[in-house]
Coordinates of all heavy atoms in Angstrom, one line a residue:
A261 N -7.0 -22.5 4.5 CA -8.3 -23.2 4.2 C -8.2 -24.6 4.7 O -7.2 -25.3 4.4 CB -8.7 -23.1 2.8
N262 N -9.1 -25.1 5.5 CA -9.2 -26.4 6.0 C -10.4 -27.1 5.4 O -11.5 -26.5 5.4 CB -9.3 -26.5 7.5 CG -7.9 -26.3 8.1 OD1 -6.9 -26.6 7.6 ND2 -8.0 -25.8 9.4
F263 N -10.3 -28.3 4.9 CA -11.4 -29.2 4.4 C -11.3 -30.4 5.3 O -10.3 -31.2 5.3 CB -11.2 -29.5 3.0 CG -11.2 -28.4 2.1 CD1 -10.1 -27.6 1.9 CD2 -12.4 -28.0 1.4 CE1 -10.1 -26.5 1.0 CE2 -12.5 -26.9 0.6 CZ -11.3 -26.1 0.4
T264 N -12.3 -30.6 6.2 CA -12.2 -31.7 7.2 C -13.5 -32.5 7.1 O -14.6 -32.0 7.0 CB -12.1 -31.0 8.6 OG1 -11.1 -30.1 8.6 CG2 -11.9 -32.1 9.7
Y265 N -13.3 -33.8 7.3 CA -14.4 -34.8 7.4 C -14.3 -35.4 8.8 O -13.3 -35.9 9.3 CB -14.3 -35.9 6.4 CG -15.4 -36.9 6.5 CD1 -16.7 -36.6 6.2 CD2 -15.1 -38.2 7.1 CE1 -17.7 -37.5 6.4 CE2 -16.2 -39.1 7.3 CZ -17.4 -38.8 6.9 OH -18.5 -39.7 7.1
H266 N -15.5 -35.3 9.5 CA -15.6 -35.8 10.9 C -16.5 -37.1 10.7 O -17.7 -36.9 10.3 CB -16.2 -34.8 11.8 CG -15.4 -33.6 12.0 ND1 -14.5 -33.5 13.0 CD2 -15.4 -32.4 11.3 CE1 -13.9 -32.3 12.9 NE2 -14.4 -31.6 11.9
P267 N -16.0 -38.3 11.0 CA -16.7 -39.5 10.8 C -18.0 -39.7 11.6 O -18.8 -40.6 11.3 CB -15.7 -40.6 11.0 CG -14.6 -40.0 11.7 CD -14.6 -38.5 11.5
Q268 N -18.1 -38.9 12.7 CA -19.3 -39.1 13.6 C -19.8 -37.8 14.1 O -19.1 -36.9 14.5 CB -18.8 -40.0 14.8 CG -19.9 -40.5 15.7 CD -21.0 -41.3 15.0 OE1 -22.1 -40.8 14.8 NE2 -20.7 -42.4 14.5
H269 N -21.1 -37.6 14.0 CA -21.7 -36.4 14.5 C -22.4 -36.6 15.9 O -22.9 -35.7 16.5 CB -22.7 -35.7 13.5 CG -23.8 -36.6 13.1 ND1 -24.9 -36.9 13.9 CD2 -24.1 -37.2 11.9 CE1 -25.7 -37.7 13.2 NE2 -25.3 -37.9 12.0
H270 N -22.4 -37.8 16.4 CA -23.0 -38.2 17.7 C -24.4 -37.7 17.9 O -24.7 -37.2 19.0 CB -22.0 -37.7 18.8 CG -20.6 -38.2 18.7 ND1 -20.3 -39.5 18.9 CD2 -19.5 -37.5 18.3 CE1 -19.0 -39.6 18.7 NE2 -18.5 -38.5 18.3
G271 N -25.2 -37.7 16.9 CA -26.6 -37.3 17.0 C -26.8 -35.8 17.2 O -27.9 -35.4 17.4
K272 N -25.8 -35.0 17.0 CA -25.9 -33.5 17.2 C -26.4 -32.9 15.9 O -25.9 -33.3 14.8 CB -24.6 -32.9 17.6 CG -24.1 -33.4 18.9 CD -22.7 -32.8 19.3 CE -22.3 -33.4 20.6 NZ -20.9 -32.9 20.9
A273 N -27.2 -31.9 16.0 CA -27.7 -31.1 14.8 C -26.6 -30.2 14.3 O -25.7 -29.8 15.1 CB -28.9 -30.3 15.2

Side-chain angles (χ1 to χ4, degrees):
N262 281 331
F263 297 82
T264 310
Y265 177 72
H266 298 270
Q268 189 57 250
H269 57 72
H270 304 289
K272 295 177 182 175

